[in-house]
C-alpha cells in the first residue's frame, strides 16, 4: 500500500519550473527524429583540454586519492588557487583561511544562505538571474528580494532603488558579472558602490564570477576582491566549469572574507565530504599550466557570437554583442512574449532557446541563446529563422 509522501513546505515554495512545456515539446521533436539545434543549455560543447584529462588519469591510478578527501580541500589546490588569483587579479589570498574549494560553484552558492540567512530573513537577488541564488535562499527559509537588472542601467542593479528597510535587514547580496543571462559586465565604480552599500547595511556580498575568463573585449573582467574594502564584506565564487570545459567534473571555489569562508565551510562539513582528490590534482594542472587553451576558446566563442548576432541583425533584429559570457541576451521582437517566441522557434524552426522570463520577471522581453553549438549550426539556425520571416 505504501505511505503518502508529502514534500516539505520549503520545497513547495520553490518557484515553478517554467520550461515544462518546452522540454516536453523538445522531447517529442527529438523522438520524432527532428534535427534540433539546442541553444538552451549553457554547457560548453567542446572537450576538457587533454593535459587536464591526462593528469586526472594519472591521479586516478594513485591509491592515495581514493579515500575521503581532506577537510577544506588539498592545501596544494588552495595554494594553486592563491597563485592563480595573484597572477590574474593581483589579489593576495591566504590559502588556509580565505579559500574554500567547492563541488562546483553552484554547490557553494546554494549553501551560502544556509550559513547566513535565518528563517524569514532576506537575501538580495538580481532579476533576471542564475536560479540557485533564489532557490538557495528559499531552501534556507529566507526570502529573496529582487533587484531588477534593466537594460537602461546596463543590467546593473540600482542600489539606490533598494528599499532602505529591506537593505537594513538583508543578510546577503548576490551579484554576478560577467552576467548570466544578460552577458553584461560590471566596472570598478559599480563594485565600489556595492562595497559601500554592504558596509552601510552590514550585508555579505556574494559575487559569482563564473564567467571571469570568458570575455571578448578589454578591459578584462575584474575580480570583486580587487576593490578596496571588498574582502571586508564578501566572497567571490569561481568555477573551472566554463573556463576549462569541465562542467561535468564538479569543481570550483569560493574566496575572500575569512569569516564568510568559515561559515560556508561549516555548512559543508556537515553535508559533503569534499572533492575527489584526483579531480583536485587535475584542477591544479588546469590553473598552473600555461597553454593556448583559453585564447582558442575565446576565439571560437567570439566567432560564434559574431556569426549569430550579425546574422540576426541582418534580418532586422536588434541584438547587441555581449562583451563576455557565451550568452546572447536577445530582445524579443514586438508581438511576442519570451515564452511565445521560444515556443514558436521550437515549433517552426526546431531551435531550442530559453525564455527570459524563466530567469525572473525582468527577463521578460528577451530570450537567452547559448553559443554552445558550432559555427555551422549557428549559421543554420540563422537560416531557419530567416525562413520564418518569409
Ligand atoms: C555555469 C555557472 C556557474 C558554474 O557552476 P558550476 O557549479 O561551477 O559548474 C556558476 N554561476 C553561473 C552564473 C553559471 O552560469
Amino acid at each position: 500500500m505504501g505511505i503518502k509522501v508529502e514534500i516539505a513546505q520549503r520545497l513547495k515554495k520553490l518557484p515553478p519550473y517554467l520550461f515544462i512545456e518546452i522540454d516536453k515539446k523538445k522531447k517529442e521533436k527529438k523522438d520524432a527524429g527532428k534535427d534540433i539545434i539546442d541553444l538552451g543549455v549553457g554547457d560548453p560543447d567542446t572537450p576538457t583540454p587533454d593535459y587536464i584529462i591526462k593528469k586526472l588519469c594519472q591521479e586516478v591510478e594513485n591509491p592515495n586519492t581514493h579515500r575521503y578527501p581532506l577537510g577544506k580541500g588539498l592545501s596544494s589546490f588552495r595554494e594553486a588557487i592563491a597563485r592563480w588569483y595573484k597572477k590574474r587579479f593581483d589579489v593576495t589570498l591566504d590559502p588556509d583561511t580565505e579559500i574554500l574549494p567547492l563541488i562546483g560553484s553552484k554547490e557553494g552558492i546554494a549553501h551560502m544562505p544556509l550559513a547566513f540567512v535565518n528563517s524569514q530573513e532576506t537575501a538580495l537577488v538580481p532579476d533576471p538571474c542564475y536560479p540557485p541564488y533564489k532557490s538557495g535562499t528559499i531552501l534556507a527559509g529566507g526570502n529573496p528580494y529582487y533587484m531588477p537588472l534593466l537594460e537602461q542601467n546596463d543590467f546593473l542593479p540600482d542600489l539606490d532603488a533598494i528599499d532602505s528597510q529591506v537593505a537594513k535587514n538583508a543578510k546577503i547580496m548576490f551579484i554576478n558579472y560577467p552576467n548570466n543571462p544578460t552577458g553584461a559586465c560590471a566596472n570598478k565604480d559599480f563594485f565600489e558602490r556595492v562595497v559601500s552599500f554592504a558596509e552601510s547595511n552590514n550585508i555579505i556580498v556574494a559575487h559569482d564570477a563564473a564567467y571571469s575568463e570568458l570575455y571578448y573585449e578589454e578591459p578584462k573582467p575584474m575580480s570583486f576582491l580587487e576593490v578596496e574594502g571588498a574582502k571586508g564584506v564578501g566572497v567571490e565564487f569561481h568555477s573551472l566549469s566554463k573556463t576549462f570545459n569541465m562542467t561535468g567534473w564538479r569543481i570550483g571555489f569560493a574566496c575572500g572574507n575569512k569569516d564568510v569562508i568559515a561559515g560556508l565551510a561549516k555548512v559543508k562539513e556537515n553535508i559533503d565530504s569534499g572533492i575527489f582528490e584526483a579531480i583536485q590534482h587535475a584542477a591544479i594542472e588546469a590553473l598552473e599550466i600555461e597553454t593556448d587553451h583559453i585564447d582558442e576558446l575565446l576565439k571560437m566563442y567570439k566567432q560564434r557570437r559574431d556569426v549569430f548576432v550579425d546574422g540576426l541583425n541582418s534580418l532586422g533584429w536588434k541584438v547587441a554583442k555581449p562583451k563576455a559570457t557565451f550568452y546572447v541576451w536577445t530582445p524579443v521582437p514586438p508581438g511576442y512574449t519570451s515564452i511565445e517566441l521560444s515556443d514558436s522557434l521550437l515549433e517552426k524552426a526546431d531551435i531550442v532557446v530559453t525564455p527570459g522570463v524563466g530567469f525572473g520577471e525582468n527577463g521578460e522581453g528577451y530570450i537567452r541563446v547559448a553559443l554552445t553549438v558550432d559555427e555551422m549550426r549557428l549559421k543554420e539556425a540563422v537560416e531557419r529563422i530567416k525562413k520564418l520571416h518569409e
Side-chain angles (χ1 to χ4, degrees), residues 60-101:
V60 164
E61 293 194 5
N62 173 0
N64 291 338
T65 66
H66 297 176
R67 309 188 70 186
Y68 280 124
L70 294 171
K72 290 188 204 160
L74 292 170
S75 58
S76 54
F77 181 37
R78 285 181 276 113
E79 282 155 15
I81 291 167
R83 280 192 296 274
W84 181 80
Y85 236 77
K86 180 74 188 160
K87 193 164 105 192
R88 169 66 175 85
F89 300 115
D90 199 20
V91 170
T92 304
L93 294 169
D94 175 356
D96 286 330
T97 57
E98 296 180 327
I99 295 176
L100 181 65

mmCIF file of all heavy atoms in Angstrom, residues 60-101:
data_model
loop_
_atom_site.group_PDB
_atom_site.id
_atom_site.type_symbol
_atom_site.label_atom_id
_atom_site.label_comp_id
_atom_site.label_asym_id
_atom_site.label_seq_id
_atom_site.Cartn_x
_atom_site.Cartn_y
_atom_site.Cartn_z
ATOM 1 N N VAL A 60 44.090 9.165 -10.856
ATOM 2 C CA VAL A 60 43.104 8.132 -10.544
ATOM 3 C C VAL A 60 43.816 6.824 -10.194
ATOM 4 O O VAL A 60 43.347 6.048 -9.371
ATOM 5 C CB VAL A 60 42.137 7.926 -11.733
ATOM 6 C CG1 VAL A 60 41.379 6.624 -11.605
ATOM 7 C CG2 VAL A 60 41.149 9.076 -11.828
ATOM 8 N N GLU A 61 44.958 6.615 -10.827
ATOM 9 C CA GLU A 61 45.695 5.371 -10.579
ATOM 10 C C GLU A 61 46.487 5.389 -9.283
ATOM 11 O O GLU A 61 47.058 4.387 -8.878
ATOM 12 C CB GLU A 61 46.622 5.076 -11.770
ATOM 13 C CG GLU A 61 45.793 4.759 -12.999
ATOM 14 C CD GLU A 61 46.597 4.144 -14.124
ATOM 15 O OE1 GLU A 61 47.804 3.882 -13.910
ATOM 16 O OE2 GLU A 61 46.015 3.938 -15.197
ATOM 17 N N ASN A 62 46.533 6.555 -8.642
ATOM 18 C CA ASN A 62 47.262 6.678 -7.390
ATOM 19 C C ASN A 62 46.304 6.416 -6.220
ATOM 20 O O ASN A 62 45.399 7.195 -5.956
ATOM 21 C CB ASN A 62 47.837 8.100 -7.313
ATOM 22 C CG ASN A 62 48.487 8.397 -5.970
ATOM 23 O OD1 ASN A 62 48.514 7.542 -5.074
ATOM 24 N ND2 ASN A 62 48.988 9.611 -5.833
ATOM 25 N N PRO A 63 46.538 5.281 -5.494
ATOM 26 C CA PRO A 63 45.596 4.903 -4.423
ATOM 27 C C PRO A 63 45.442 5.975 -3.342
ATOM 28 O O PRO A 63 44.439 6.003 -2.641
ATOM 29 C CB PRO A 63 46.214 3.637 -3.831
ATOM 30 C CG PRO A 63 47.248 3.188 -4.790
ATOM 31 C CD PRO A 63 47.657 4.351 -5.625
ATOM 32 N N ASN A 64 46.428 6.879 -3.222
ATOM 33 C CA ASN A 64 46.312 7.941 -2.216
ATOM 34 C C ASN A 64 45.122 8.852 -2.452
ATOM 35 O O ASN A 64 44.679 9.544 -1.547
ATOM 36 C CB ASN A 64 47.578 8.808 -2.196
ATOM 37 C CG ASN A 64 48.763 8.050 -1.647
ATOM 38 O OD1 ASN A 64 48.586 7.066 -0.915
ATOM 39 N ND2 ASN A 64 49.962 8.478 -2.014
ATOM 40 N N THR A 65 44.608 8.859 -3.678
ATOM 41 C CA THR A 65 43.485 9.765 -3.971
ATOM 42 C C THR A 65 42.127 9.100 -3.733
ATOM 43 O O THR A 65 41.095 9.723 -3.939
ATOM 44 C CB THR A 65 43.516 10.246 -5.441
ATOM 45 O OG1 THR A 65 43.279 9.129 -6.320
ATOM 46 C CG2 THR A 65 44.823 10.907 -5.809
ATOM 47 N N HIS A 66 42.150 7.823 -3.315
ATOM 48 C CA HIS A 66 40.886 7.071 -3.307
ATOM 49 C C HIS A 66 40.067 7.187 -2.035
ATOM 50 O O HIS A 66 38.928 6.757 -1.992
ATOM 51 C CB HIS A 66 41.173 5.582 -3.572
ATOM 52 C CG HIS A 66 41.763 5.354 -4.913
ATOM 53 N ND1 HIS A 66 42.174 4.126 -5.357
ATOM 54 C CD2 HIS A 66 42.037 6.210 -5.934
ATOM 55 C CE1 HIS A 66 42.668 4.235 -6.580
ATOM 56 N NE2 HIS A 66 42.604 5.493 -6.947
ATOM 57 N N ARG A 67 40.650 7.796 -1.019
ATOM 58 C CA ARG A 67 39.963 7.833 0.268
ATOM 59 C C ARG A 67 39.172 9.130 0.412
ATOM 60 O O ARG A 67 39.176 9.965 -0.492
ATOM 61 C CB ARG A 67 41.011 7.679 1.381
ATOM 62 C CG ARG A 67 41.909 6.460 1.096
ATOM 63 C CD ARG A 67 42.817 6.148 2.226
ATOM 64 N NE ARG A 67 42.065 5.636 3.363
ATOM 65 C CZ ARG A 67 42.616 5.381 4.546
ATOM 66 N NH1 ARG A 67 43.900 5.619 4.750
ATOM 67 N NH2 ARG A 67 41.878 4.913 5.520
ATOM 68 N N TYR A 68 38.483 9.297 1.527
ATOM 69 C CA TYR A 68 37.769 10.554 1.740
ATOM 70 C C TYR A 68 38.741 11.711 1.558
ATOM 71 O O TYR A 68 39.838 11.698 2.124
ATOM 72 C CB TYR A 68 37.204 10.624 3.161
ATOM 73 C CG TYR A 68 35.934 9.853 3.349
ATOM 74 C CD1 TYR A 68 35.848 8.873 4.335
ATOM 75 C CD2 TYR A 68 34.815 10.104 2.563
ATOM 76 C CE1 TYR A 68 34.674 8.163 4.531
ATOM 77 C CE2 TYR A 68 33.631 9.391 2.756
ATOM 78 C CZ TYR A 68 33.567 8.430 3.728
ATOM 79 O OH TYR A 68 32.410 7.737 3.929
ATOM 80 N N PRO A 69 38.353 12.721 0.816
ATOM 81 C CA PRO A 69 39.247 13.870 0.646
ATOM 82 C C PRO A 69 39.425 14.607 1.977
ATOM 83 O O PRO A 69 38.551 14.566 2.842
ATOM 84 C CB PRO A 69 38.502 14.760 -0.351
ATOM 85 C CG PRO A 69 37.409 13.927 -0.929
ATOM 86 C CD PRO A 69 37.101 12.854 0.060
ATOM 87 N N LEU A 70 40.551 15.298 2.111
ATOM 88 C CA LEU A 70 40.827 16.050 3.343
ATOM 89 C C LEU A 70 39.886 17.235 3.482
ATOM 90 O O LEU A 70 39.422 17.787 2.497
ATOM 91 C CB LEU A 70 42.271 16.561 3.313
ATOM 92 C CG LEU A 70 43.343 15.473 3.350
ATOM 93 C CD1 LEU A 70 44.702 16.091 3.084
ATOM 94 C CD2 LEU A 70 43.311 14.750 4.696
ATOM 95 N N GLY A 71 39.691 17.662 4.713
ATOM 96 C CA GLY A 71 38.806 18.763 5.112
ATOM 97 C C GLY A 71 38.498 19.816 4.066
ATOM 98 O O GLY A 71 37.549 19.672 3.306
ATOM 99 N N LYS A 72 39.291 20.892 4.034
ATOM 100 C CA LYS A 72 38.944 22.005 3.158
ATOM 101 C C LYS A 72 39.625 21.919 1.803
ATOM 102 O O LYS A 72 40.001 22.934 1.224
ATOM 103 C CB LYS A 72 39.329 23.324 3.818
ATOM 104 C CG LYS A 72 38.435 23.653 5.007
ATOM 105 C CD LYS A 72 38.744 25.056 5.482
ATOM 106 C CE LYS A 72 38.379 25.264 6.921
ATOM 107 N NZ LYS A 72 39.105 26.414 7.476
ATOM 108 N N GLY A 73 39.788 20.718 1.306
ATOM 109 C CA GLY A 73 40.461 20.571 0.019
ATOM 110 C C GLY A 73 41.956 20.469 0.229
ATOM 111 O O GLY A 73 42.488 20.871 1.273
ATOM 112 N N LEU A 74 42.663 19.947 -0.769
ATOM 113 C CA LEU A 74 44.118 19.807 -0.684
ATOM 114 C C LEU A 74 44.755 21.176 -0.488
ATOM 115 O O LEU A 74 44.366 22.140 -1.156
ATOM 116 C CB LEU A 74 44.657 19.220 -1.990
ATOM 117 C CG LEU A 74 44.304 17.772 -2.317
ATOM 118 C CD1 LEU A 74 44.707 17.449 -3.763
ATOM 119 C CD2 LEU A 74 45.025 16.836 -1.341
ATOM 120 N N SER A 75 45.766 21.240 0.407
ATOM 121 C CA SER A 75 46.424 22.538 0.556
ATOM 122 C C SER A 75 47.121 22.916 -0.752
ATOM 123 O O SER A 75 47.191 24.093 -1.104
ATOM 124 C CB SER A 75 47.383 22.530 1.738
ATOM 125 O OG SER A 75 48.331 21.516 1.567
ATOM 126 N N SER A 76 47.588 21.904 -1.500
ATOM 127 C CA SER A 76 48.238 22.240 -2.775
ATOM 128 C C SER A 76 47.241 22.862 -3.762
ATOM 129 O O SER A 76 47.610 23.733 -4.557
ATOM 130 C CB SER A 76 48.897 21.004 -3.389
ATOM 131 O OG SER A 76 47.949 19.952 -3.506
ATOM 132 N N PHE A 77 45.989 22.469 -3.695
ATOM 133 C CA PHE A 77 44.976 23.080 -4.559
ATOM 134 C C PHE A 77 44.703 24.525 -4.115
ATOM 135 O O PHE A 77 44.669 25.450 -4.919
ATOM 136 C CB PHE A 77 43.687 22.247 -4.550
ATOM 137 C CG PHE A 77 42.584 22.783 -5.436
ATOM 138 C CD1 PHE A 77 42.868 23.367 -6.678
ATOM 139 C CD2 PHE A 77 41.243 22.702 -5.031
ATOM 140 C CE1 PHE A 77 41.844 23.858 -7.497
ATOM 141 C CE2 PHE A 77 40.219 23.194 -5.845
ATOM 142 C CZ PHE A 77 40.521 23.774 -7.075
ATOM 143 N N ARG A 78 44.549 24.711 -2.790
ATOM 144 C CA ARG A 78 44.282 26.068 -2.306
ATOM 145 C C ARG A 78 45.458 27.000 -2.615
ATOM 146 O O ARG A 78 45.277 28.168 -2.956
ATOM 147 C CB ARG A 78 43.950 26.031 -0.808
ATOM 148 C CG ARG A 78 42.528 25.499 -0.578
ATOM 149 C CD ARG A 78 42.128 25.452 0.872
ATOM 150 N NE ARG A 78 42.593 24.247 1.541
ATOM 151 C CZ ARG A 78 43.498 24.205 2.504
ATOM 152 N NH1 ARG A 78 44.040 25.313 2.948
ATOM 153 N NH2 ARG A 78 43.854 23.059 3.035
ATOM 154 N N GLU A 79 46.688 26.440 -2.542
ATOM 155 C CA GLU A 79 47.858 27.270 -2.874
ATOM 156 C C GLU A 79 47.881 27.618 -4.369
ATOM 157 O O GLU A 79 48.232 28.733 -4.762
ATOM 158 C CB GLU A 79 49.151 26.544 -2.477
ATOM 159 C CG GLU A 79 49.408 26.644 -0.982
ATOM 160 C CD GLU A 79 50.277 25.511 -0.440
ATOM 161 O OE1 GLU A 79 50.927 24.791 -1.258
ATOM 162 O OE2 GLU A 79 50.300 25.327 0.797
ATOM 163 N N ALA A 80 47.482 26.659 -5.194
ATOM 164 C CA ALA A 80 47.438 26.925 -6.642
ATOM 165 C C ALA A 80 46.397 28.007 -6.952
ATOM 166 O O ALA A 80 46.607 28.871 -7.810
ATOM 167 C CB ALA A 80 47.114 25.645 -7.412
ATOM 168 N N ILE A 81 45.273 27.961 -6.248
ATOM 169 C CA ILE A 81 44.238 28.989 -6.432
ATOM 170 C C ILE A 81 44.798 30.362 -6.048
ATOM 171 O O ILE A 81 44.620 31.346 -6.771
ATOM 172 C CB ILE A 81 42.981 28.661 -5.593
ATOM 173 C CG1 ILE A 81 42.272 27.422 -6.166
ATOM 174 C CG2 ILE A 81 42.023 29.853 -5.566
ATOM 175 C CD1 ILE A 81 41.202 26.824 -5.255
ATOM 176 N N ALA A 82 45.510 30.408 -4.905
ATOM 177 C CA ALA A 82 46.089 31.686 -4.458
ATOM 178 C C ALA A 82 47.071 32.230 -5.498
ATOM 179 O O ALA A 82 47.071 33.426 -5.805
ATOM 180 C CB ALA A 82 46.769 31.507 -3.101
ATOM 181 N N ARG A 83 47.892 31.347 -6.084
ATOM 182 C CA ARG A 83 48.842 31.795 -7.113
ATOM 183 C C ARG A 83 48.108 32.310 -8.347
ATOM 184 O O ARG A 83 48.467 33.327 -8.930
ATOM 185 C CB ARG A 83 49.794 30.652 -7.503
ATOM 186 C CG ARG A 83 50.950 30.450 -6.525
ATOM 187 C CD ARG A 83 52.013 29.513 -7.111
ATOM 188 N NE ARG A 83 51.494 28.165 -7.326
ATOM 189 C CZ ARG A 83 51.477 27.205 -6.390
ATOM 190 N NH1 ARG A 83 51.976 27.434 -5.188
ATOM 191 N NH2 ARG A 83 50.979 26.009 -6.671
ATOM 192 N N TRP A 84 47.062 31.577 -8.743
ATOM 193 C CA TRP A 84 46.283 31.992 -9.922
ATOM 194 C C TRP A 84 45.638 33.353 -9.683
ATOM 195 O O TRP A 84 45.665 34.236 -10.538
ATOM 196 C CB TRP A 84 45.223 30.931 -10.232
ATOM 197 C CG TRP A 84 44.392 31.249 -11.437
ATOM 198 C CD1 TRP A 84 44.749 31.062 -12.743
ATOM 199 C CD2 TRP A 84 43.068 31.828 -11.456
ATOM 200 N NE1 TRP A 84 43.723 31.476 -13.568
ATOM 201 C CE2 TRP A 84 42.688 31.955 -12.808
ATOM 202 C CE3 TRP A 84 42.181 32.256 -10.460
ATOM 203 C CZ2 TRP A 84 41.454 32.489 -13.204
ATOM 204 C CZ3 TRP A 84 40.948 32.785 -10.844
ATOM 205 C CH2 TRP A 84 40.605 32.891 -12.195
ATOM 206 N N TYR A 85 45.107 33.555 -8.474
ATOM 207 C CA TYR A 85 44.452 34.822 -8.141
ATOM 208 C C TYR A 85 45.422 35.984 -8.164
ATOM 209 O O TYR A 85 45.103 37.075 -8.627
ATOM 210 C CB TYR A 85 43.826 34.729 -6.744
ATOM 211 C CG TYR A 85 42.365 35.047 -6.763
ATOM 212 C CD1 TYR A 85 41.453 34.108 -7.212
ATOM 213 C CD2 TYR A 85 41.896 36.296 -6.393
ATOM 214 C CE1 TYR A 85 40.105 34.394 -7.271
ATOM 215 C CE2 TYR A 85 40.550 36.584 -6.449
ATOM 216 C CZ TYR A 85 39.665 35.632 -6.883
ATOM 217 O OH TYR A 85 38.336 35.926 -6.946
ATOM 218 N N LYS A 86 46.604 35.719 -7.641
ATOM 219 C CA LYS A 86 47.626 36.768 -7.596
ATOM 220 C C LYS A 86 48.011 37.149 -9.020
ATOM 221 O O LYS A 86 48.086 38.322 -9.374
ATOM 222 C CB LYS A 86 48.836 36.237 -6.819
ATOM 223 C CG LYS A 86 49.971 37.222 -6.704
ATOM 224 C CD LYS A 86 49.627 38.308 -5.699
ATOM 225 C CE LYS A 86 50.671 39.420 -5.705
ATOM 226 N NZ LYS A 86 50.149 40.660 -5.112
ATOM 227 N N LYS A 87 48.209 36.131 -9.832
ATOM 228 C CA LYS A 87 48.644 36.370 -11.204
ATOM 229 C C LYS A 87 47.531 37.034 -12.021
ATOM 230 O O LYS A 87 47.776 37.981 -12.764
ATOM 231 C CB LYS A 87 49.023 35.017 -11.833
ATOM 232 C CG LYS A 87 49.778 35.165 -13.127
ATOM 233 C CD LYS A 87 50.455 33.859 -13.512
ATOM 234 C CE LYS A 87 49.673 33.238 -14.651
ATOM 235 N NZ LYS A 87 50.049 31.869 -14.940
ATOM 236 N N ARG A 88 46.318 36.568 -11.907
ATOM 237 C CA ARG A 88 45.218 37.051 -12.746
ATOM 238 C C ARG A 88 44.674 38.389 -12.255
ATOM 239 O O ARG A 88 44.342 39.253 -13.063
ATOM 240 C CB ARG A 88 44.113 35.982 -12.774
ATOM 241 C CG ARG A 88 42.793 36.407 -13.379
ATOM 242 C CD ARG A 88 42.876 36.705 -14.870
ATOM 243 N NE ARG A 88 41.559 36.979 -15.404
ATOM 244 C CZ ARG A 88 40.955 38.173 -15.382
ATOM 245 N NH1 ARG A 88 41.578 39.206 -14.861
ATOM 246 N NH2 ARG A 88 39.746 38.326 -15.875
ATOM 247 N N PHE A 89 44.545 38.558 -10.930
ATOM 248 C CA PHE A 89 43.864 39.754 -10.409
ATOM 249 C C PHE A 89 44.751 40.624 -9.523
ATOM 250 O O PHE A 89 44.308 41.667 -9.040
ATOM 251 C CB PHE A 89 42.636 39.339 -9.578
ATOM 252 C CG PHE A 89 41.598 38.554 -10.339
ATOM 253 C CD1 PHE A 89 41.316 37.226 -10.004
ATOM 254 C CD2 PHE A 89 40.904 39.133 -11.389
ATOM 255 C CE1 PHE A 89 40.351 36.503 -10.686
ATOM 256 C CE2 PHE A 89 39.931 38.412 -12.085
ATOM 257 C CZ PHE A 89 39.651 37.100 -11.735
ATOM 258 N N ASP A 90 45.978 40.144 -9.249
ATOM 259 C CA ASP A 90 46.849 40.827 -8.296
ATOM 260 C C ASP A 90 46.180 40.984 -6.929
ATOM 261 O O ASP A 90 46.286 42.012 -6.275
ATOM 262 C CB ASP A 90 47.305 42.188 -8.851
ATOM 263 C CG ASP A 90 48.534 42.688 -8.110
ATOM 264 O OD1 ASP A 90 49.227 41.866 -7.472
ATOM 265 O OD2 ASP A 90 48.786 43.908 -8.143
ATOM 266 N N VAL A 91 45.462 39.951 -6.522
ATOM 267 C CA VAL A 91 44.840 39.922 -5.201
ATOM 268 C C VAL A 91 45.527 38.815 -4.395
ATOM 269 O O VAL A 91 45.706 37.709 -4.910
ATOM 270 C CB VAL A 91 43.328 39.628 -5.299
ATOM 271 C CG1 VAL A 91 42.723 39.348 -3.930
ATOM 272 C CG2 VAL A 91 42.606 40.788 -5.985
ATOM 273 N N THR A 92 45.920 39.127 -3.173
ATOM 274 C CA THR A 92 46.582 38.137 -2.323
ATOM 275 C C THR A 92 45.552 37.456 -1.431
ATOM 276 O O THR A 92 44.751 38.130 -0.782
ATOM 277 C CB THR A 92 47.648 38.836 -1.440
ATOM 278 O OG1 THR A 92 48.533 39.526 -2.332
ATOM 279 C CG2 THR A 92 48.423 37.827 -0.620
ATOM 280 N N LEU A 93 45.567 36.118 -1.432
ATOM 281 C CA LEU A 93 44.634 35.348 -0.603
ATOM 282 C C LEU A 93 45.414 34.395 0.280
ATOM 283 O O LEU A 93 46.423 33.829 -0.156
ATOM 284 C CB LEU A 93 43.704 34.515 -1.500
ATOM 285 C CG LEU A 93 42.720 35.272 -2.402
ATOM 286 C CD1 LEU A 93 42.084 34.302 -3.393
ATOM 287 C CD2 LEU A 93 41.656 35.989 -1.596
ATOM 288 N N ASP A 94 44.961 34.220 1.506
ATOM 289 C CA ASP A 94 45.571 33.241 2.398
ATOM 290 C C ASP A 94 44.922 31.873 2.120
ATOM 291 O O ASP A 94 43.730 31.702 2.361
ATOM 292 C CB ASP A 94 45.330 33.669 3.850
ATOM 293 C CG ASP A 94 45.848 32.621 4.841
ATOM 294 O OD1 ASP A 94 46.311 31.542 4.399
ATOM 295 O OD2 ASP A 94 45.771 32.874 6.056
ATOM 296 N N PRO A 95 45.736 30.917 1.626
ATOM 297 C CA PRO A 95 45.168 29.620 1.238
ATOM 298 C C PRO A 95 44.493 28.892 2.399
ATOM 299 O O PRO A 95 43.617 28.060 2.180
ATOM 300 C CB PRO A 95 46.370 28.814 0.748
ATOM 301 C CG PRO A 95 47.457 29.794 0.519
ATOM 302 C CD PRO A 95 47.179 30.987 1.381
ATOM 303 N N ASP A 96 44.883 29.206 3.632
ATOM 304 C CA ASP A 96 44.322 28.482 4.772
ATOM 305 C C ASP A 96 42.974 29.027 5.237
ATOM 306 O O ASP A 96 42.143 28.283 5.728
ATOM 307 C CB ASP A 96 45.292 28.504 5.961
ATOM 308 C CG ASP A 96 46.461 27.571 5.723
ATOM 309 O OD1 ASP A 96 46.262 26.562 5.013
ATOM 310 O OD2 ASP A 96 47.560 27.869 6.215
ATOM 311 N N THR A 97 42.785 30.325 5.098
ATOM 312 C CA THR A 97 41.568 30.917 5.678
ATOM 313 C C THR A 97 40.675 31.629 4.670
ATOM 314 O O THR A 97 39.521 31.906 4.974
ATOM 315 C CB THR A 97 41.951 31.950 6.761
ATOM 316 O OG1 THR A 97 42.797 32.934 6.146
ATOM 317 C CG2 THR A 97 42.667 31.294 7.917
ATOM 318 N N GLU A 98 41.214 31.922 3.498
ATOM 319 C CA GLU A 98 40.449 32.765 2.567
ATOM 320 C C GLU A 98 40.044 32.032 1.285
ATOM 321 O O GLU A 98 39.541 32.668 0.362
ATOM 322 C CB GLU A 98 41.243 34.033 2.232
ATOM 323 C CG GLU A 98 41.465 34.926 3.452
ATOM 324 C CD GLU A 98 42.258 36.187 3.141
ATOM 325 O OE1 GLU A 98 43.145 36.158 2.262
ATOM 326 O OE2 GLU A 98 42.002 37.211 3.793
ATOM 327 N N ILE A 99 40.270 30.725 1.238
ATOM 328 C CA ILE A 99 39.931 29.957 0.033
ATOM 329 C C ILE A 99 39.226 28.669 0.436
ATOM 330 O O ILE A 99 39.669 27.971 1.343
ATOM 331 C CB ILE A 99 41.213 29.608 -0.775
ATOM 332 C CG1 ILE A 99 41.871 30.889 -1.300
ATOM 333 C CG2 ILE A 99 40.884 28.649 -1.926
ATOM 334 C CD1 ILE A 99 43.187 30.669 -2.028
ATOM 335 N N LEU A 100 38.129 28.366 -0.237
ATOM 336 C CA LEU A 100 37.387 27.135 0.045
ATOM 337 C C LEU A 100 36.990 26.437 -1.257
ATOM 338 O O LEU A 100 36.159 26.950 -2.004
ATOM 339 C CB LEU A 100 36.121 27.473 0.851
ATOM 340 C CG LEU A 100 35.246 26.285 1.258
ATOM 341 C CD1 LEU A 100 35.969 25.369 2.234
ATOM 342 C CD2 LEU A 100 33.926 26.784 1.870
ATOM 343 N N PRO A 101 37.594 25.264 -1.534
ATOM 344 C CA PRO A 101 37.212 24.504 -2.730
ATOM 345 C C PRO A 101 35.752 24.024 -2.628
ATOM 346 O O PRO A 101 35.261 23.734 -1.535
ATOM 347 C CB PRO A 101 38.183 23.321 -2.731
ATOM 348 C CG PRO A 101 39.383 23.823 -1.988
ATOM 349 C CD PRO A 101 38.802 24.691 -0.900
#
